[in-house]
Amino acid sequence: MADAKKLFIKTYGCQMNVYDSERMAETLWAQGYVHTDTADDADMILLNTCHIREKAAEKIYSELGKFKGLKAANPNLKIGVAGCVAQAEGAEIIRRQPLVDLVVGPQSYHKLPQMEASVQSGKRALDTDFPEEDKFDHLAKRPKAKRGPTAFLTVQEGCDKFCAFCVVPYTRGAEVSRPADRVFSEAVDLVERGVREITLLGQNVNAYHGHPGGLAGLIWQLSEILDLERIRFTTSHPNDMDDALIEAHGTCDKLMPYLHLPVQSGSDRILKAMNRKHTRDSYFNLVDRIRKARPDLLLSGDFIVGFPGETDQDFSDTLDLVRHVGYGQAYSFKYSARPGTPAAEKDSVDPAVASARLQELQALLTEQQYAAQAAMVGREVKVLFEKKGRREGQLIGKSEYLHAVHAVAPDHMVGKVVRVRIINDMTNSLTGELVV
Ligand code: SAH
Ligand code: SF4
Ligand code: F3S
């Protein structure tokens, strides 16, 4: 029998791409592929791409260029581009890089088996449709193999918000929610395979409407799965944080006290130009209500600096918002004009000014992150151990607050939630000792 064909997938962008890559791999394993960790010996290379900023998108072309030698050495090698660049650029990708055999957009992954057969017969395959059917109904069933203690699960995809800077509504399409019973059975399946923590994913996950009780309803339903110990969700839009979800943060033990709640800017003028449909005050009010429900909740956020028209005053409003809210962790980006979005038509801020603002904002956010980590020292947290640490005898896992925590612990504690006292804070993680 011939050796099984080897599949190498490289993932860029957000957690949804991580989830999609897993599902694409499972689909192709069902076609007889096996996994490989390197492009060098692959028979199929799939890049699962991100279009959110120019740098992310352009990186794909330089990456593809590097495969020229591999293709010369193995004429049977097939190269595919999936994800949001595939959706946004379609056939243009093959025009710019003729090495590419296959281009598949995020809503067409269930077509991969036919597309794979087509490229094996020497043809090119391209699919960037937004079909009516739910791709998840047609993807291969997840295999029963054991897996690590944490998993992502996509429950909602697409976005109808049309923030003026963002490509997601174009690359992922309109907002669609998966029915709660399907999500539930996928979650049960994951838990049977060893998963103890599930992060529910959606571009606007709190706009989820596949359960009559919204995202909170889904969370309560999933919390009934006995061996599922932790539930998280990401990413939320401030305007979709309803009362039931806020309340769940106070009353649902399995829902972790961590919330990624991007605000993008602290200036009302810029928020309006961004079409965010909320103000800085409405965000402050929301944060107050959430913290009332769950005082120890750790907040995370996303910020864009240098949006067209952003003045020094607008930027200082953003710094002020950050000081006022206090983030445990956050991401910040320099605005990148994306083709086809309304903001791309506007005059951009001087790149040197934008860079200086980014540096200043990042310094403040890093300071807050370190302060939040330092505040953990001496506290007892619960850690879900995920794997062996780098040091002999150590395990690494995450606290309720999503801090990475190392502790000396026996291997059988992988997959268990264990009480740990934090004894030290380092740059990107904490160390602790088991509480016995
Ligand atoms: N759906 C999520 C985030 C999607 S993209 C939400 O609404 O919050 C992740 C982050 O990338 C955004 O929150 C934003 O901060 C950033 N981003 C999106 N488009 C961008 C652009 N054109 N330039 C710079 N950053 C951008
Ligand atoms: Fe993009 Fe805005 Fe939708 Fe988030 S809410 S995905 S930033 S358009
Ligand atoms: Fe990027 Fe698409 Fe995610 S543009 S951030 S991979 S939704």
Side-chain angles (χ1 to χ4, degrees):
M1 202 180 92
D3 284 345
K5 288 180 291 201
K6 294 192 179 117
L7 170 69
F8 173 70
I9 301 191
K10 188 160 178 185
T11 307
Y12 302 81
C14 61
Q15 289 109 324
M16 197 170 290
N17 270 7
V18 175
Y19 175 83
D20 284 344
S21 288
E22 278 182 22
R23 302 301 306 267
M24 282 193 277
E26 287 158 0
T27 301
L28 288 168
W29 294 343
Q31 302 292 114
Y33 278 85
V34 295
H35 164 86
T36 173
D37 283 325
T38 146
D40 297 343
D41 66 356
D43 299 289
M44 162 87 78
I45 298 173
L46 260 188
L47 300 185
N48 192 7
T49 62
C50 174
H51 201 247
I52 202 83
R53 285 167 288 274
E54 190 181 354
K55 244 195 217 145
E58 283 305 309
K59 192 154 60 183
I60 301 308
Y61 289 100
S62 59
E63 189 74 29
L64 285 170
K66 290 189 213 147
F67 299 144
K68 205 170 262 173
L70 290 179
K71 196 131 179 173
N74 174 9
N76 292 325
L77 170 64
K78 304 296 175 194
I79 296 176
V81 177
C84 291
V85 176
Q87 189 63 45
E89 299 189 2
E92 170 70 13
I93 297 172
I94 297 174
R95 202 190 57 74
R96 260 183 86 174
Q97 183 45 274
L99 289 178
V100 172
D101 301 282
L102 179 155
V103 174
V104 60
Q107 303 310 324
S108 303
Y109 294 155
H110 54 296
K111 309 249 185 73
L112 267 174
Q114 298 102 286
M115 295 176 79
E116 195 273 337
S118 173
V119 296
Q120 289 305 338
S121 72
K123 296 199 199 88
R124 283 214 168 94
L126 176 113
D127 201 321
T128 53
D129 287 346
F130 283 112
E132 286 298 310
E133 75 259 34
D134 180 356
K135 72 174 175 197
F136 297 104
D137 289 350
H138 300 271
L139 284 173
K141 270 228 168 310
R142 306 193 87 156
K144 287 284 174 200
K146 276 289 256 187
R147 48 171 298 157
T150 63
F152 293 129
L153 204 179
T154 293
V155 302
Q156 180 273 349
E157 193 164 355
C159 181
D160 298 335
K161 297 260 189 308
F162 292 93
C163 298
F165 50 81
C166 184
V167 292
V168 170
Y170 312 97
T171 62
R172 293 277 171 169
E175 219 165 278
V176 181
S177 292
R178 297 176 67 193
D181 51 352
R182 295 228 196 92
V183 174
F184 186 82
S185 50
E186 192 171 327
V188 168
D189 183 63
L190 287 168
V191 172
E192 280 170 359
R193 291 164 56 198
V195 169
R196 295 292 171 264
E197 171 180 305
I198 292 181
T199 302
L200 306 174
L201 297 182
Q203 265 89 31
N204 269 299
V205 72
N206 53 348
Y208 177 78
H209 56 267
H211 186 287
L215 185 64
L218 178 69
I219 289 169
W220 282 110
Q221 187 182 344
L222 294 178
S223 73
E224 284 167 16
I225 302 173
L226 209 57
D227 287 334
L228 177 61
E229 305 213 40
R230 293 179 158 189
I231 302 170
R232 302 178 186 276
F233 60 88
T234 199
T235 294
S236 301
H237 192 286
N239 291 359
D240 294 315
M241 281 306 292
D242 62 17
D243 291 343
L245 190 54
I246 294 174
E247 197 187 314
H249 270 292
T251 51
C252 181
D253 291 343
K254 292 189 177 181
L255 183 57
M256 291 294 103
Y258 179 97
L259 180 63
H260 185 60
L261 193 66
V263 64
Q264 314 298 351
S265 167
S267 152
D268 279 338
R269 223 175 55 81
I270 294 298
L271 288 171
K272 191 153 197 274
M274 285 177 164
N275 192 33
R276 288 288 294 183
K277 300 198 174 80
H278 58 75
T279 62
R280 96 191 234 117
D281 275 349
S282 68
Y283 186 79
F284 286 148
N285 284 336
L286 177 60
V287 168
D288 285 348
R289 283 165 57 218
I290 295 166
R291 285 196 167 138
K292 211 166 180 185
R294 183 75 202 226
D296 62 334
L297 180 134
L298 197 137
L299 263 189
S300 153
D302 288 342
F303 296 89
I304 296 178
V305 300
F307 185 79
E310 186 187 68
T311 62
D312 286 343
Q313 180 58 51
D314 294 320
F315 176 63
S316 89
D317 288 349
T318 297
L319 294 176
D320 181 70
L321 177 140
V322 171
R323 284 194 201 97
H324 193 94
V325 170
Y327 290 88
Q329 200 266 332
Y331 303 93
S332 48
F333 312 98
K334 212 187 321 178
Y335 168 73
S336 169
R338 308 305 293 128
T341 60
E345 314 284 310
K346 307 246 180 75
D347 290 343
S348 48
V349 165
D350 175 354
V353 171
S355 295
R357 286 178 186 164
L358 185 65
Q359 254 186 12
E360 195 177 345
L361 176 61
Q362 286 184 339
L364 175 60
L365 291 168
T366 305
E367 192 186 302
Q368 293 194 341
Q369 182 193 321
Y370 290 166
Q373 288 170 196
M376 289 290 159
V377 176
R379 279 184 60 179
E380 187 183 309
V381 295
K382 288 192 178 124
V383 175
L384 170 58
F385 284 122
E386 293 176 20
K387 57 185 181 196
K388 287 189 184 187
R390 246 169 295 153
R391 295 234 187 92
E392 189 59 32
Q394 263 192 349
L395 297 181
I396 180 160
K398 298 271 166 56
S399 76
E400 303 90 315
Y401 310 99
L402 212 56
H403 286 130
V405 179
H406 299 263
V408 173
D411 287 357
H412 69 79
M413 284 189 175
V414 169
K416 302 248 163 36
V417 176
V418 179
R419 289 162 60 203
V420 172
R421 185 172 315 283
I422 302 301
I423 50 177
N424 198 5
D425 59 320
M426 295 172 299
T427 317
N428 284 312
S429 66
L430 304 170
T431 43
E433 55 193 13
L434 301 186
V435 176
V436 279

